[in-house]
């Protein structure tokens, strides 16, 4: 019953969705996908509930009793309801005449909705009373970050942000929701994955799907001519989550983009350099950045004889080449998308081309090569030639692979496109981007050319978490979730206030310190805590030490202990901490 | 017409909400508030549209033409629709017999919904085609952060986070949305301000309203016995935004909480110390932390003769004392909430008590004082006595004001409560918190006592932004949004690749550097950019310098220039940067 009641509460006020809730999710495609996902996820509570229900016959809980009372009343007043609707339709008819009937329609519907609103209110009370009994959980596809995961996340963000700042980028932020119309028409088929907010009166909002469209909207709204910015934020997709592969419904993207009219390929080279520097600095292992050019791709399809209206569908077939062999992709082109076999075979010869950027460029620009002869691809090849020179100057050409099979899904790219993959990893691409010169213009009517990259940080977290756990296991220590430098400990009873005074002295000097919350902590417990948490120093004292104005300082790694005057404690700890940082 | 079409797109699939959209927002209280707010905000576009429409008669746009076609069809098939509903009611009747009719209801409703779904699909196409023509904007009550605002925000977060870390707190994060049932029944009347996500099949979700309830859910889900954590994140309230007073619908909270069973008042003292340290470190000016105890408040009301069921309503009247004079609050108690006049007057005598913590404590604990005699308040006063000793030990007692008029709105507090206000500021409270020992138990059934504080950082941003602009104006410089240390500039043409090579050398050494994107930048432009952006050093070269393996380094503040060998450039810049940081 729980599932049923929960759904009922938020059904729209028309009352007519009621049945779909009693039945489980409404028979819309999205709901069906959702249900399928939940089953695939192995969370079959709902299914089990249904089975139990069938076996035991339908048992009515409190919520159902409320529904029953409502329906009984509704049945009794059925004739009245039909009249209301009749009136509503008549009024709607009047609308067609010129709008005079609008008020009548609203009145009829409002009268019709009142009992349903009452029902929902009653159900809300029942559900709220029930909810304390339920096991709390996190929304599907989202996750809590535990303290050691946060420590890793902060380290990753620190590395990434320092590269962004090294390149003189500014930070910006945008709201987590946008007007729905801002996101509409930007993501093609994937629009169905956008989370909408409920219509609670006022604007229609959706959660952002990526950071690129909000960035373009930001550039347009704030009338920005040029900007080099980074943005780290959560984005939302109602996709099939695969938690073990780092695929979530709420996840972070780290974006770096350069917008503005500049010398060709110079910003593109810097964006790629930023990507390469980040992947190097994160030390995730060997990686490759596959690179292609949209206009080269289009020219290639034109040369092969693909009609222009099939460019995008054929591109999306090509996009599968990193997962499927050529035979499967060829079959899709010929059987599903109706390409003649010889056209597909020509494409097949192109997309097998990949390799060291300048070598492949030399092959493609040789005067007899069809790509050198087609005006569009010739221009693209000239751009790539400059790009490779710039990347070489920036020391970022090494990991680049010029790869004619790279297609990228999104429609808005207009120039260079790229995608980074880890070698030997089974995590798919961890970053991707390209040039999109027309997106800002979709908002402001005035194009601001732009190029950027988006790093899918969840997969990076997963890898770094594995590395951190390995390191911790090898060294026999835990992953540190705090930065505490000193534990203030005491011997004997009644020292709570003294521990607090010493800790406050350290805090005032900027030293990161903790003290025990128990009134009379045991020495063994305090030592154990410091070791377990990896706290490098302890300050220790009892009644005797304090009377002499002294404390002991324990270096946990060196296993040494010294007596220090209370007056000199801060200076001594600062010396020890500095020495530790330096070593 | 735009407003009307936009609403139509997301109406629930029943089709019956149609009228309320044509009419403007549905006649629900929330929607009414929303409309009122929009008018108060002075954004009267909608109103204006309506006026225009009235003047010109109803003109049909593309969207209306679609609606018209739908209604014509619906009118033609009205008899059929009525039959479907008739069948639906009959089937619903069958439910009462034992559930066999559920499928029939769903089927009937599904058949009924199909044309509405088609209508919505058609409307979506119209709206998407229209949307390129609209001026893009940010959702009401939300905001973009511009680069200089981000720099200030990062500085504020840096200060706050460093206090949290100084106290050995771990960081956690939770999803931006929670299951709706997690938030239900936690916020009393304010629940109406919660943003719900649309029901797109699957779970019912809402955006988080604060970080405290998600924290309690987190402690319960992850079966945590004790934790000292901080959490900085955005929360969402469909409230009346007052942008000039730092009141947004999407805003940050910075929370610090200690959960776990510890010696009484020790964690409470540390939380208050964290609050005091943060407000000191942020340098926002003089501040006061008002402090009270929930059980003292309840005893006070009991002594005055307030019946227990009126404790919360009377508390919420008391809560207004920071905005209203006593006469107004007394009138609310007597006229609206039915207290006898003498009972209100007794309360009036209590709530006027405020002052230096230990002085007021001495007054209240004097044996003849009624609060010393009531068992609940006597226990609370004993707790406060320890708390003041601990706060004194931590050096955090100074800004505390013991204030019997502090009540706090939220129901879940069970012990000490507090609220920080800036003196002379007109921004209301900038931080608040207290002890809530029963909230985790609402999820897990097992209480984990907890105490915490939440800092409302938007108001802090506004103050810091003002301070930064004043400083910038006084010194004649801009607020720096980047941390760039070096601008790589060149003299003469064709030096793009050379500028890139030098920049890459600096980046590799961790130096924050930019180079111009124009192919042949003018020296004046490059100098101007460095000055405008506050970049402290420039590296300059032309063909001649490079042939000699040399560059020039310009110190912008010192207005000096030196010639350096390219090989020694990194070392020289690191020396200059270190000297600048030290000065």
């Amino acid at each position: 019953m729980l599932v049923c009641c929960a759904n009922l509460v938020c059904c729209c006020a028309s009352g007519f969705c009621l049945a779909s809730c009693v039945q489980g999710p409404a028979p819309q495609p999205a709901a069906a996908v959702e249900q399928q996902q939940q089953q695939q996820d192995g969370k079959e509570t709902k299914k089990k509930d249904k089975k139990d229900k069938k076996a035991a016959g339908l048992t009515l809980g409190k919520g159902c009793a409320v529904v029953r009372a409502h329906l009984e009343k509704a049945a009794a007043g059925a004739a009245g309801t039909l009249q209301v609707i009749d009136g509503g339709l008549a009024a709607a008819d009047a609308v067609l005449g010129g709008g005079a009937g609008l008020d009548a329609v609203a009145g009829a519907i409002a009268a019709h909705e009142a009992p349903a609103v009452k029902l929902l209110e009653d159900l809300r009370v029942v559900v709220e009373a029930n909810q304390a009994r339920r096991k709390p959980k996190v929304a599907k596809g989202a996750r809590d970050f535990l303290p050691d995961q946060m420590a890793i996340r902060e380290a990753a963000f620190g590395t990434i942000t320092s590269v962004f700042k090294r390149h003189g980028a500014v930070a910006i932020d945008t709201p987590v929701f946008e007007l729905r119309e801002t996101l509409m028409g930007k993501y093609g088929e994937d629009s169905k994955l956008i989370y909408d907010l409920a219509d609670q009166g006022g604007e229609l909002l959706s959660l952002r799907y990526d950071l690129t469209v909000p960035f373009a909207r930001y550039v347009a709204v704030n009338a920005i001519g040029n900007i080099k910015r980074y943005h780290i934020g959560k984005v939302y997709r109602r996709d099939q989550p695969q938690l073990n592969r780092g695929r979530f419904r709420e996840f972070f993207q780290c974006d770096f983009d350069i917008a503005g009219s500049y010398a060709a390929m110079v910003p593109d080279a810097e964006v790629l350099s930023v990507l390469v520097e980040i992947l190097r600095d994160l030390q995730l292992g060997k990686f490759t950045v596959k690179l292609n050019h949209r206009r080269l791709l289009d020219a290639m399809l034109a040369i092969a004889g693909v009609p222009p209206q099939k460019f995008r569908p054929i591109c999306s077939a090509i996009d599968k080449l990193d997962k499927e062999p050529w035979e499967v992709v060829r079959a899709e082109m010929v059987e599903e998308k109706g390409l003649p076999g010889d056209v597909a075979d020509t494409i097949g010869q192109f997309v097998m081309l990949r390799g060291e950027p300048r070598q492949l460029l030399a092959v493609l620009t040789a005067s007899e090569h069809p790509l050198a002869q087609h005006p569009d691809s010739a221009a693209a090849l000239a751009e790539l030639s400059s790009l490779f020179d710039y990347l070489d100057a920036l020391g970022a050409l090494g990991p680049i692979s010029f790869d004619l099979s790279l297609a990228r899904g999104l429609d808005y790219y207009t120039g260079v496109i790229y995608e980074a993959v880890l070698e030997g990893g089974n995590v798919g691409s961890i970053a991707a981007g390209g040039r999109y010169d027309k997106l800002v213009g979709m908002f402001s009517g005035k194009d601001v050319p732009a190029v950027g990259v988006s790093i899918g940080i969840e997969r990076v977290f997963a890898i770094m978490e594995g590395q951190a756990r390995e390191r911790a296991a090898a060294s026999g220590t835990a992953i540190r979730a705090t930065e505490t430098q000193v534990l203030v400990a005491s011997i004997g009873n009644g020292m709570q206030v003294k521990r607090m005074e010493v800790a406050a002295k350290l805090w005032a000097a900027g030293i990161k310190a903790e003290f025990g919350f128990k009134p009379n902590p045991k020495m063994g417990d305090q030592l154990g805590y410091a070791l377990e948490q990896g706290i490098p120093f302890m300050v220790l004292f009892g009644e005797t030490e304090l009377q002499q104005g002294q404390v002991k300082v324990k270096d946990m790694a060196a296993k040494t202990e010294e007596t220090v005057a209370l007056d000199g404690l801060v200076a001594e700890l600062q010396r020890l901490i500095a020495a530790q940082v330096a070593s």
Side-chain angles (χ1 to χ4, degrees), chain A:
Chain A
M1 272 323 298
L2 292 179
V3 170
C4 156
C5 290
N7 271 349
L8 282 170
V9 168
C10 87
C11 273
C12 107
S14 78
F16 277 91
C17 326
L18 200 55
S20 64
C21 295
V22 175
Q23 273 295 45
Q28 297 147 1
V33 169
E34 169 77 14
Q35 191 159 17
Q36 200 185 359
Q37 285 167 2
Q38 288 188 341
Q39 288 171 3
Q40 283 171 2
D41 253 28
K43 292 180 186 169
E44 310 209 0
T45 337
K46 197 183 269 185
K47 218 170 158 187
K48 195 172 164 295
D49 275 356
K50 274 191 191 161
K51 221 183 284 169
D52 290 355
K53 222 181 286 165
K54 267 185 200 158
L58 192 69
T59 22
L60 294 185
K62 264 190 224 167
C64 270
V66 173
V67 176
R68 182 190 186 120
H70 174 78
L71 286 179
E72 278 171 347
K73 209 168 157 191
T81 306
L82 293 181
Q83 275 174 12
V84 169
I85 292 167
D86 228 1
L89 285 174
D93 212 23
V95 177
L96 305 174
L102 289 179
D103 285 343
V105 175
I109 300 296
H112 170 76
E113 283 180 353
V117 169
K118 172 74 171 56
L119 167 67
L120 294 174
E121 202 36 62
D122 293 347
L123 282 170
R124 182 180 287 270
V125 171
V126 174
V127 172
E128 289 192 8
N130 276 345
Q131 66 92 24
R133 273 181 274 146
R134 287 183 214 156
K135 204 173 150 45
K137 56 176 186 165
V138 178
K140 179 174 153 74
R143 63 153 162 177
D144 287 335
F145 278 85
L146 295 169
D148 53 355
Q149 293 171 322
M150 278 299 281
I152 290 161
R153 178 176 126 180
E154 282 181 18
F157 284 161
T159 301
I160 292 169
T161 305
S162 78
V163 176
F164 292 155
K165 288 189 174 176
R166 207 153 74 196
H167 283 259
V170 297
I172 70 153
D173 194 15
T174 65
V176 81
F177 42 58
E178 293 281 346
L179 294 187
R180 195 164 302 160
E181 63 191 47
T182 296
L183 305 188
M184 273 193 285
K186 306 299 185 306
Y187 302 107
E189 274 186 18
D190 286 349
S191 295
K192 67 177 185 295
L193 303 180
I194 292 175
Y195 277 97
D196 290 333
L197 269 74
D199 182 3
Q200 296 171 290
E203 300 165 331
L204 297 176
L205 305 173
S206 298
L207 297 185
R208 62 187 174 203
Y209 180 84
D210 65 8
L211 300 178
T212 309
V213 170
F215 172 59
R217 194 272 304 146
Y218 175 98
V219 170
V221 164
N222 297 290
I224 291 167
N226 63 74
I227 186 170
K228 184 198 285 185
R229 81 90 176 82
Y230 72 91
H231 188 184
I232 297 180
K234 286 176 177 176
V235 301
Y236 299 87
R237 298 182 186 179
R238 295 178 60 254
D239 210 344
Q240 170 62 31
Q242 293 177 287
L243 310 191
N244 54 346
R245 295 191 67 203
R247 195 157 156 175
F248 293 86
R249 290 180 157 197
E250 174 186 61
F251 59 98
F252 276 98
Q253 286 194 334
C254 302
D255 277 32
F256 177 90
D257 294 78
I258 301 174
S261 295
Y262 292 115
M265 292 295 117
V266 177
D268 313 59
E270 184 165 15
V271 169
L272 279 160
S273 180
V274 162
L275 171 60
V276 167
E277 288 174 52
I278 285 173
L279 295 179
R280 279 180 188 151
D281 288 3
L282 285 172
Q283 303 183 331
L284 303 172
K286 208 152 179 270
F287 62 91
T288 302
V289 179
K290 298 187 210 171
L291 183 144
N292 199 359
H293 196 297
R294 262 290 159 87
R295 286 202 287 154
L296 201 57
L297 210 55
D298 287 353
M300 182 178 104
L301 296 180
I303 291 167
V306 178
Q309 71 274 18
K310 286 193 180 167
F311 279 9
R312 289 287 83 81
I314 296 301
C315 265
S316 88
I318 293 174
D319 203 32
K320 292 173 189 157
L321 273 174
D322 55 345
K323 293 182 202 79
E324 307 280 358
W326 167 248
E327 290 68 34
V328 175
V329 171
R330 186 187 185 278
E332 181 180 327
M333 290 178 176
V334 175
E335 287 155 33
E336 282 177 43
K337 297 182 169 164
L339 275 201
D342 59 331
V343 172
D345 291 334
T346 311
I347 296 173
Q349 284 169 3
F350 279 121
V351 296
M352 273 186 296
L353 297 170
R354 75 191 61 174
E356 198 279 317
R358 280 166 166 162
Q359 271 176 17
L360 183 52
L361 189 70
V363 173
L364 303 182
T365 48
S367 60
E368 70 279 9
H369 199 282
L371 285 174
Q373 289 163 7
H374 191 283
D376 266 11
S377 48
L381 290 169
E383 284 193 352
L384 290 178
S385 173
S386 313
L387 178 64
F388 297 154
D389 288 345
Y390 294 149
L391 286 173
D392 198 11
L394 295 176
L397 190 58
I400 308 284
S401 168
F402 184 10
D403 186 335
L404 289 193
S405 73
L406 180 75
R408 301 281 304 132
L410 289 166
D411 275 3
Y412 54 60
Y413 290 121
T414 55
V416 173
I417 48 177
Y418 32 81
E419 201 172 284
V421 290
L422 288 183
E423 286 181 19
N426 185 27
V427 290
S429 76
I430 57 166
R435 175 164 281 282
Y436 50 97
D437 286 348
K438 304 288 174 191
L439 194 56
V440 175
M442 286 178 76
F443 293 108
S444 62
K446 185 170 169 282
D447 285 335
V448 179
V451 59
V453 68
S454 178
I455 295 157
I457 191 71
E458 313 297 323
R459 291 163 185 179
V460 172
F461 290 156
I463 297 166
M464 289 181 73
E465 212 176 311
Q467 289 174 342
R469 294 205 191 288
E470 272 174 32
R471 270 197 309 273
S475 68
T477 56
I479 299 171
R480 289 204 70 184
T482 74
E483 298 176 9
T484 306
Q485 295 160 328
V486 180
L487 178 67
V488 178
S490 61
I491 302 150
N493 290 350
M495 306 293 278
Q496 180 73 268
V497 167
K498 292 294 169 195
R499 288 199 302 278
M500 287 173 142
E501 282 172 358
V502 172
K505 201 189 276 271
L506 304 186
W507 293 333
I511 295 171
K512 294 164 189 156
E514 294 181 55
F515 63 88
F517 281 172
K518 289 190 183 169
N520 302 310
K522 289 179 190 152
M523 184 43 62
D525 290 350
Q526 296 175 91
L527 266 170
Y529 181 80
L531 285 169
E532 185 193 302
Q533 297 287 316
I535 301 173
F537 303 103
M538 276 176 87
V539 171
L540 282 169
F541 51 82
E543 203 62 62
T544 329
E545 282 83 1
L546 287 186
Q547 276 166 6
Q548 296 166 357
Q550 292 181 330
V551 295
K552 284 182 176 150
V553 174
K554 208 174 166 68
D555 184 326
M556 303 298 285
K559 296 188 183 168
T560 55
E561 192 176 288
E562 55 173 333
T563 302
V564 179
L566 242 179
D567 287 347
L569 176 62
V570 164
E572 176 58 10
L573 282 170
Q574 281 171 335
R575 192 190 66 76
L576 286 168
I577 290 165
Q580 192 208 31
V581 170
S583 74

